[in-house]
Amino acid sequence: MYLGILLSGRGSNFLAIAESIRAGRLPGVEIAVVISNVAEAPGLAAARELGYPTALYISKSRKRAEHDADVAACLKAHRVDLVCLAGYMRLLSPEFIAAFRNRILNIHPSLLPAFPGLEAQEQAFAYGVKIAGCTVHFVDEELDHGAIVVQRAISVLEEDDGPSLARRILAEEHIAYTEAIRRVASGRYEMRGRRFVLRQP
Ligand code: GRF
């Protein structure tokens, strides 16, 4: 299975996936290309340094559908089976989502459906939840909404502040993304409505 990673920033989720592949935790899975919409994204620089094929399509002031068509063509040229959004800070066009239906994963730093949108960890902390976490889900036309593949939860500690909670959630994200890719790559699942259900081997 070939992955296409889309990122806009730091790239720690990309690096965690790359490390899982290197360590043999995702047999049969390869990163075919890393694509960024932001020239200065540290994750893009890291991908170049590690020798992955990379592509840059600057999205600023471009029409969404046109930009996404370029990205989709690049993914197809690299024969990508599964698109992994890893801190990709741009909404996808309906055409893009339709072209990769149930083949786009996103990671979100909250236990969805709580706290969709930006700064989810800060939202959760300010709300005063006692349990926080992250979600890897398929992408559909609604923001942070598609079928859930993996969630990981942690307790909010008395001594937490927003940044410390975000750091501890990020550590869970790195585990969750690998687990979600493993589940999807196994092919041993079915969708029951919006429920992602693993089939027994
Ligand atoms: C993560 O918190 C992820 O959940 C959110 O954006 C952040 C990306 O971090 N979608 P990184 O670029 O993978 O380090």
Side-chain angles (χ1 to χ4, degrees):
M1 167 170 277
Y2 289 128
L3 306 183
I5 309 272
L6 267 55
L7 56 78
S8 306
R10 182 175 55 182
S12 74
N13 277 288
F14 149 60
L15 289 170
I17 294 166
E19 173 55 21
S20 285
I21 292 171
R22 196 203 57 76
R25 289 192 290 269
L26 287 172
V29 174
E30 276 178 47
I31 295 175
V33 63
V34 178
I35 301 175
S36 181
N37 64 326
V38 175
E40 309 76 28
L44 180 64
R48 285 185 184 130
E49 264 166 46
L50 288 167
Y52 289 101
T54 61
L56 171 66
Y57 296 98
I58 294 170
S59 55
K60 203 163 179 228
S61 62
R62 282 199 73 199
K63 288 210 179 94
R64 190 177 312 284
E66 284 171 17
H67 175 261
D68 282 4
D70 287 349
V71 174
C74 179
L75 292 166
K76 287 192 172 143
H78 285 87
R79 298 170 47 217
V80 164
D81 305 295
L82 183 65
V83 180
C84 297
L85 307 185
Y88 190 62
M89 302 305 287
R90 186 155 164 105
L91 292 174
L92 298 171
S93 61
E95 295 79 12
F96 187 98
I97 293 167
F100 291 92
R101 175 80 54 202
N102 280 353
R103 294 192 297 134
I104 311 171
L105 290 175
N106 180 44
I107 186 148
H108 184 75
S110 78
L111 294 172
L112 291 171
F115 312 118
L118 293 175
E119 294 178 4
Q121 310 95 321
E122 281 292 344
Q123 290 186 54
F125 182 74
Y127 196 91
V129 299
K130 301 299 185 195
I131 305 283
C134 63
T135 305
V136 184
H137 63 93
F138 282 123
V139 171
D140 67 10
E141 283 76 5
E142 285 178 55
L143 180 67
D144 299 329
H145 173 269
I148 292 170
V149 180
V150 169
Q151 289 188 306
R152 289 181 65 89
I154 56 171
S155 294
V156 179
L157 306 175
E158 296 301 328
E159 60 268 32
D160 265 327
D161 55 17
S164 72
L165 181 62
R167 270 196 304 280
R168 292 195 303 110
I169 292 173
L170 188 64
E172 300 302 318
E173 293 183 36
H174 296 161
I175 301 167
Y177 222 146
T178 292
E179 177 57 24
I181 293 167
R182 220 161 47 75
R183 289 184 183 182
V184 173
S186 78
R188 293 198 328 267
Y189 68 90
E190 57 195 46
M191 302 307 302
R192 296 189 195 150
R194 49 168 294 130
R195 294 182 59 235
F196 177 97
V197 181
L198 276 180
R199 272 194 237 113
Q200 294 313 312

